[in-house]
Amino acid sequence: NAGVTQTPKFRILKIGQSMTLQCTQDMNHNYMYWYRQDPGMGLKLIYYSVGAGITDKGEVPNGYNVSRSTTEDFPLRLELAAPSQTSVYFCASSVRTGENNEQFFGPGTRLTVL
Amino acid sequence: KNEVEQSPQNLTAQEGEFITINCSYSVGISALHWLQQHPGGGIVSLFMLSSGKKKHGRLIATINIQEKHSSLHITASHPRDSAVYICAVERGSQGNLIFGKGTKLSVKP
């Protein structure tokens, strides 16, 4: 199993450009998450999904959109990139059955908006 | 005030020392997670606990629900333990996580 994979690893965007961060998991997990990690700060939840076709906002959703058409994929879309979106983005998944909510993280995408 | 506070922010230890990292939280939770972020950036889950104590190798995690406090202990620390250790609490009907800012541990040989 590859676990959780993310592409790209690095990206530089100009203000106003758009891009999609890809996230795929091969563990058949129902829950998937997108987080951002800013220097000196804890991870913040952007969006999450409890299953295919169902998404919901987290703590910091402004400027982002997501979709979940399949169990495996959970892409994050930035429509009009802003310098405030410079961050490291992590995708995660969990099976969330009973008391088991261990989250498995992708390697991260480092995004710079100039 | 952050809902999840970790201390210390930074910790330097000599190889072999016993290490304790603390996590305090101010909200009701269903579980608490400890994670490790490697110097290269990757994040792995170490423990998830809702009561008592768990042990895995040289790592021990404890939680006191009444005092809203958890500790992560590393026995016989090694330079490969150098990483950022993150505490996160699980709350709400969806069990989403609220993260602390992390404790950066450096173990010197």
Side-chain angles (χ1 to χ4, degrees), chain A residues 38-59:
Chain A
D38 300 317
M41 303 297 291
L43 287 107
K44 302 286 187 190
L45 180 65
I46 305 171
Y47 271 94
Y48 66 100
S49 168
V50 304
I54 306 169
T55 63
D56 208 346
K57 295 177 181 179
E59 187 180 356

Side-chain angles (χ1 to χ4, degrees), chain A residues 3-112:
Chain A
V4 180
T5 57
Q6 290 182 239
T7 56
K9 285 188 169 51
F10 305 93
R11 184 74 185 267
I12 298 175
L13 283 182
K14 294 182 179 178
I15 295 171
Q17 286 185 320
S18 62
M19 77 164 293
T20 299
L21 283 67
Q22 301 291 346
C23 175
T24 300
Q25 53 94 6
D26 62 359
M27 297 173 283
N28 202 33
H29 286 172
N30 47 343
Y31 280 66
M32 295 187 74
Y33 311 85
W34 273 107
Y35 299 100
R36 60 178 287 171
Q37 185 178 40
D38 300 317
M41 303 297 291
L43 287 107
K44 302 286 187 190
L45 180 65
I46 305 171
Y47 271 94
Y48 66 100
S49 168
V50 304
I54 306 169
T55 63
D56 208 346
K57 295 177 181 179
E59 187 180 356
V60 290
N62 291 346
Y64 306 95
N65 278 300
V66 293
S67 60
R68 183 100 181 266
S69 56
T70 66
T71 300
E72 295 78 18
D73 299 306
F74 190 40
L76 177 72
R77 179 86 177 157
L78 284 71
E79 289 294 350
L80 290 169
S84 61
Q85 293 177 304
T86 294
S87 190
V88 181
Y89 291 84
F90 288 96
C91 178
S93 71
S94 68
V95 64
R96 210 166 151 68
T97 56
E99 293 188 350
N100 183 4
N101 189 25
E102 179 183 357
Q103 294 197 12
F104 294 81
F105 287 78
T109 294
R110 184 174 294 275
L111 176 66
T112 302

